[in-house]
Amino acid sequence: MSRHTPVMAVMVAAARKAARGLQRDFGEVENLQVSLKGPANFVTAADKKAEKTIFEELSKARPGYGFLMEEGGVVEGNDKSHRWIIDPLDGTTNFLHSIPHFAISIGLERDGQMVAGVIYNPITDEMFIGEKGQGAFLNDRRIRVAARRELTQGVVACGTPHIGRPGHEVYLTELRSVMNEVAGVRRMGAAALDLAYVAAGRYDAYWEANLQPWDMAAGIVIVREAGGFVSDLNGREDMLGTGGVIAGNDMLRNQLETLLKRARAKG
Ligand code: 2AM
Ligand code: CA
Ligand code: CA
Ligand code: CA
């Protein structure tokens, strides 16, 4: 803890505080109020409670910073250069099914750039953090992206398009190409953790389309601080604007980008 910068200490503390509610509710999912925001887009009382805790903690510690939150939307701050981007519970479907693979994600944007991120899985007690210029850590141990140079030896994660979202055909074409070229494909259902796992070298790469800013914000800086790349599906840096993301190490970047591009051209 001692090596956390002041702002990172604030983010970690907010995540830990909100996590206590999620830990409690995880065992009692059948008692939770669940509602639907759209087709198969669930939100529970736990999401909202966690977001409220994070909002209160961060507001106290950094008055004036703005917010972009999955459940609460936009809250403008007086400080126009800083904005928190928050997903209080990434992987709600897992949470509802008692699958211990979900996380709190808190990112900090300064002048349009992601500068700090925290992704915390309260069940495994894994805290992934990254801050610009400070490196990336998992529970205080330095992490780096995997060093594999060949996609054929890699494990690649992805996300499937959700009900009512476009892109199913494109996705199936991409998946068909990728699964034919890699050692394994994984689809765990929590985008923030997918990025955290890339940063930790567990996944060699990851791609997904149609994400929201709060799914990616924290993960972008953690992967980069772990020595990896993050780009959108066109090889540019507009992940938050386009909702598309590819992440991995630099050696796999071209291989995966080319593979996905070729699949999309076909599909
Ligand atoms: P969530 O659990 O915070 O909603 C996995 O593909 C990602 O998509 C997750 O990070 C998940 O975040 C999000 N997600 C899950 N169901 C969704 C839906 N029906 N529409 C849009 N995004 C969804
Ligand atoms: Ca959601
Ligand atoms: Ca999410
Ligand atoms: Ca969420």
Side-chain angles (χ1 to χ4, degrees), residues 47 70-71 87-92 214-215:
D47 301 59
E70 178 173 13
E71 311 309 336
D87 191 339
L89 205 184
D90 183 55
T92 298
W214 45 81
D215 298 318

Side-chain angles (χ1 to χ4, degrees), residues 8-42:
M8 184 52 74
V10 163
M11 294 166 75
V12 166
R16 284 202 189 279
K17 187 160 186 191
R20 290 204 281 276
L22 297 184
Q23 284 158 342
R24 232 176 290 124
D25 289 335
F26 184 59
E28 311 282 335
V29 181
E30 60 284 354
N31 300 327
L32 271 183
Q33 230 180 294
V34 183
S35 42
L36 264 181
K37 293 198 288 185
N41 190 357
F42 303 101

